[in-house]
Amino acid sequence: MHTHVPPAVVRSAGRLVAETAALTAMLTEYHLVTEAEKGLPVADATGLPARYRAEIQAPRTAFADDTVFLAVDGGVPAGCLVVTAPDAGTAEIKRVWTDPARRGRGVATVLLRAALAHCAERDVATVRLSVWSWRRSAIAVYERSGFRTTGSWDPREDLVCMEYDPPEARDGSPAARAARDAQDAVQFVGGVPGAARHPVPLPDEPDRIAHHP
């Protein structure tokens, strides 16, 4: 019986990202899909808003103060996620994307666990994200990871704002148990001094995830 090996996660400071070509490719697809879903399709990256083109053209500069996570599945880049630098104790998860060819393999779940473990290491008080309301499968994955819908900090319509509930707020729930195990469950490789490698128990779930820029 074949045993699926969970994706690994490479974490690095944005200004030091090594896999810039892979990150650029995923960001390009992410933004093109997002604009199309918003009813603003463009033919290629040259038609994207300037702030998105800047991320694609120079991710090390765009995310210089942030932390970038790349998922690697079978030696191939499979997904990405960015955690912003903490501001007044708050960090935001954004640019969550999974390669369509590798969805359903737990890539998004591993990236979220890595991001939450990273924030816990830095004593971030509030972890938040935003997602378009029509991305219901993404919202479900976020909820299973311990996020809850909260008051909006963004005036744009159809945007769902969510915050992570720390384990102590969710004692006894499956999400709480999963969060307690996050540090041991995530495998960080490359660019993480002293990081340990662990197998990651993943749910069998689709990860059709791409959320608000």
Side-chain angles (χ1 to χ4, degrees), residues 28 32 35 40-48:
T28 300
L32 290 175
E35 292 302 288
L40 302 169
V42 294
D44 55 39
T46 62
L48 291 169

Side-chain angles (χ1 to χ4, degrees), residues 43-89:
D44 55 39
T46 62
L48 291 169
R51 64 187 183 279
Y52 300 152
R53 294 200 308 272
E55 293 180 5
I56 292 168
Q57 294 166 357
R60 287 178 178 170
T61 300
F63 303 121
D65 297 325
D66 304 326
T67 302
V68 175
F69 296 79
L70 291 177
V72 180
D73 184 31
V76 178
C80 64
L81 178 154
V82 174
V83 176
T84 64
D87 181 12

Side-chain angles (χ1 to χ4, degrees), residues 96-184:
V96 183
W97 179 257
T98 299
D99 177 359
R102 284 177 161 73
R103 288 177 181 157
R105 298 171 65 87
V107 174
T109 300
V110 170
L111 284 167
L112 286 168
R113 289 177 180 171
L116 291 172
H118 166 82
C119 291
E121 290 172 5
R122 283 152 182 76
D123 296 322
V124 174
T126 303
V127 184
R128 69 184 192 179
L129 58 81
S130 55
V131 55
W132 295 109
S133 60
W134 59 80
R135 289 176 172 159
R136 300 197 179 280
S137 61
I139 292 172
V141 172
Y142 293 142
E143 289 176 338
R144 286 195 292 271
S145 296
F147 286 85
R148 60 175 174 81
T149 301
T150 188
S152 177
W153 58 79
D154 192 307
R156 284 175 287 185
E157 294 183 4
D158 294 321
L159 198 62
V160 177
C161 293
M162 307 183 79
E163 288 185 359
Y164 176 68
D165 270 341
E168 57 269 23
R170 294 174 285 115
D171 281 343
S173 70
R177 292 193 294 273
R180 293 190 194 98
D181 293 339
Q183 288 281 61
D184 291 331

